[in-house]
């Protein structure tokens, strides 16, 4: 039995004893070189950024480590996107994600991201049956998951649903343009609003969702001129993904932006790091070091035993029955 398992609370808190844990919770209040603490981001703060024409930063997060990085580096909005179905859980489509799975990941992000405004996607099918069930599902995301707002995909047809949620105090972010949850009906992940009539329908959807009470709207994969025009016609912030620089802010999927995702990537994706390559190099180096017995090093990465105790152990072991396995 490890010694740390029987220590009292006061003993366990001593710095010298915490080394018995190889993996332990991060001391989030003592992070070296961390930026100064910021005030909690609220919807009012997001509106203020829009009014000042300061671009709003949004990044997806799916667990405690990614949430902490968003927290430490001043991301305005953390989105627990249903893209976690593919990048974290290995599903081939976002429509397979369940509400319980979303809540599980949302909890982890909520524990790590205290300053950013936390938005959670409502998984496919959780807001399509009835207003009462939609409200119940959204309440679970807030009460159990720790989300501060929910995001719904859809156009004018979901305006009554948005109104039902906002009327009971649940903040809603809308999502129009390319709707990943409807990729089958759309015959794939295709750019939307490329002709005049479809562009007009996206504008009408944006205005209807704003009227229904949405505090912000994601514009995905639409022509940049259209996104700029819609943004200028709205009174609420727009967050673009593949919609050009004229939106109130931008969002990217973590695994795309950080170079983790190895699958197909859309034209609008820009890699800001190559974590996937670095991680692969690290795994290969670890495997090589173990197989060549270069890791661990007994002196620098191991623990010593007092010589007198070792000699006593040898004496005792001589009289201990040996078992041949």
């Amino acid at each position: 039995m490890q010694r740390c398992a029987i220590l009292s609370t006061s003993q366990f808190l001593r710095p010298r004893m915490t080394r018995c844990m190889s993996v332990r919770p991060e001391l989030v209040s003592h992070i070296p070189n961390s930026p100064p603490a910021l005030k909690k981001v609220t919807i009012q703060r997001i509106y203020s950024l829009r009014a000042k024409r300061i671009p709003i930063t949004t990044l997806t997060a799916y667990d405690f480590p990614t949430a902490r990085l968003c927290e430490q580096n001043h991301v305005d909005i953390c989105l627990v996107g249903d893209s976690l179905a593919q990048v974290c859980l290995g599903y081939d489509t976002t429509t397979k994600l369940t509400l319980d799975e979303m809540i599980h990941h949302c909890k982890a992000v909520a524990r790590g991201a205290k300053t950013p405004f936390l938005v959670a996607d409502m998984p496919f099918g959780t807001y399509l049956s009835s207003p009462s069930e939609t409200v119940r599902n959204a309440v679970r995301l807030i009460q159990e998951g720790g989300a501060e707002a929910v995001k719904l995909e859809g156009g004018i047809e979901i305006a009554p649903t948005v109104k039902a949620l906002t009327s009971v105090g649940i903040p809603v972010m809308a999502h129009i343009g390319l709707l990943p949850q409807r990729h089958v009906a759309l015959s794939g992940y295709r750019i939307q609003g490329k002709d005049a009539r479809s562009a007009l329908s996206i504008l009408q959807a944006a205005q209807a969702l704003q009227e229904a009470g949405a505090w912000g709207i994601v514009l995905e994969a639409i022509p940049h001129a259209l996104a700029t025009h819609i943004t200028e016609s709205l009174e609420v912030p727009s967050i673009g993904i593949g919609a050009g620089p004229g939106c109130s802010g931008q969002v990217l999927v973590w695994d795309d932006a950080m170079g983790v995702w190895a699958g197909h990537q859309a034209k609008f994706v820009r890699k800001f790091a190559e974590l996937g390559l670095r991680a692969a190099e690290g795994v290969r180096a670890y495997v090589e070091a173990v197989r060549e017995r270069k890791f661990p090093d007994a002196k620098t990465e191991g623990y010593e035993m007092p010589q007198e105790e070792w000699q006593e152990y040898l004496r005792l072991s001589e009289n201990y029955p040996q078992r041949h396995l």
Side-chain angles (χ1 to χ4, degrees):
M1 180 181 295
Q2 291 186 356
R3 187 181 178 189
C4 61
I6 58 174
L7 294 175
S8 67
T9 303
S10 60
Q11 289 174 307
F12 188 76
L13 291 176
R14 296 174 186 172
R16 65 183 181 88
M17 298 308 299
T18 59
R19 294 192 65 185
C20 64
M21 296 178 65
S22 61
V23 179
R24 55 187 180 272
E26 177 187 30
L27 297 176
V28 294
S29 60
H30 297 90
I31 302 170
N33 303 320
S34 59
L38 295 181
K39 291 183 178 180
K40 179 75 180 80
V41 176
T42 62
I43 293 177
Q44 183 179 11
R45 164 68 175 166
I46 295 169
Y47 272 64
S48 175
L49 292 173
R50 175 186 177 274
K52 296 175 182 177
R53 295 189 174 275
I54 299 174
I56 301 160
T57 59
T58 307
L59 198 58
T60 65
Y62 309 113
D63 52 26
F64 184 82
T66 53
R68 288 300 303 155
L69 285 166
C70 289
E71 167 81 13
Q72 294 163 8
N73 294 285
H74 302 182
V75 172
D76 298 312
I77 300 173
C78 267
L79 170 63
V80 187
D82 59 5
S83 49
L84 74 86
Q86 294 161 301
V87 300
C88 293
L89 302 182
Y91 293 134
D92 57 359
T93 173
T94 62
T95 57
K96 295 182 179 180
L97 184 71
T98 68
L99 181 60
D100 286 338
E101 288 169 333
M102 173 58 76
I103 290 172
H104 172 81
H105 284 265
C106 198
K107 285 180 177 179
V109 174
R111 287 190 286 266
K114 302 298 184 182
T115 302
F117 190 70
L118 182 55
V119 181
D121 267 335
M122 293 196 71
F124 178 75
T126 62
Y127 56 95
L128 302 176
S129 56
S130 68
S132 59
E133 183 175 353
T134 298
V135 170
R136 281 195 297 270
N137 292 334
V139 167
R140 286 194 64 196
L141 281 168
I142 292 172
Q143 285 188 335
E144 299 176 38
E148 296 172 291
V150 296
K151 181 169 77 66
L152 282 65
E153 293 184 12
I156 293 176
E157 74 283 356
I158 68 163
T161 303
V162 172
K163 189 171 184 178
L165 290 169
T166 58
S167 66
V168 295
I170 298 175
V172 174
M173 172 177 265
H175 183 145
I176 59 177
L178 173 60
L179 308 176
Q181 291 181 0
R182 304 185 190 183
H183 71 280
V184 174
L186 296 173
S187 298
Y189 302 91
R190 299 175 179 274
I191 300 171
Q192 304 297 302
K194 292 185 70 175
D195 62 82
R197 290 189 178 277
S198 63
L200 180 61
S201 69
I202 295 174
L203 171 64
Q204 292 171 335
Q207 293 174 339
L209 293 165
Q210 174 181 262
E211 183 66 24
W215 63 266
I217 301 177
V218 171
L219 305 176
E220 180 168 0
I222 63 175
H224 62 84
L226 174 61
T228 300
H229 182 264
I230 291 174
T231 297
E232 292 173 350
S233 73
L234 294 173
E235 297 178 0
V236 300
S238 67
I239 304 296
I241 176 167
C247 299
S248 308
Q250 301 293 327
V251 60
L252 279 178
V253 169
W254 172 275
D255 295 69
D256 288 338
M258 299 302 125
V260 177
W261 180 248
H264 172 75
Q265 291 185 322
K267 176 184 178 181
F268 56 76
V269 170
R270 182 189 298 183
K271 293 183 181 181
F272 292 86
E274 288 288 359
L275 300 188
L277 290 177
R278 302 290 85 79
E281 290 173 358
V283 172
R284 287 193 295 269
Y286 168 75
V287 170
E288 179 181 344
V290 170
R291 287 179 175 164
E292 295 181 359
R293 298 189 181 279
K294 295 179 180 179
F295 174 83
D297 180 83
K299 295 295 184 183
T300 62
E301 296 159 330
Y303 299 96
E304 300 293 341
M305 186 176 184
Q307 187 60 33
E308 62 274 16
E309 293 295 334
W310 176 245
Q311 293 300 324
E312 177 64 9
Y313 163 76
L314 291 177
R315 186 188 68 79
L316 293 172
S317 66
E318 287 178 356
N319 300 321
Y320 193 78
Q322 299 294 313
R323 292 184 179 181
H324 299 283
L325 299 179

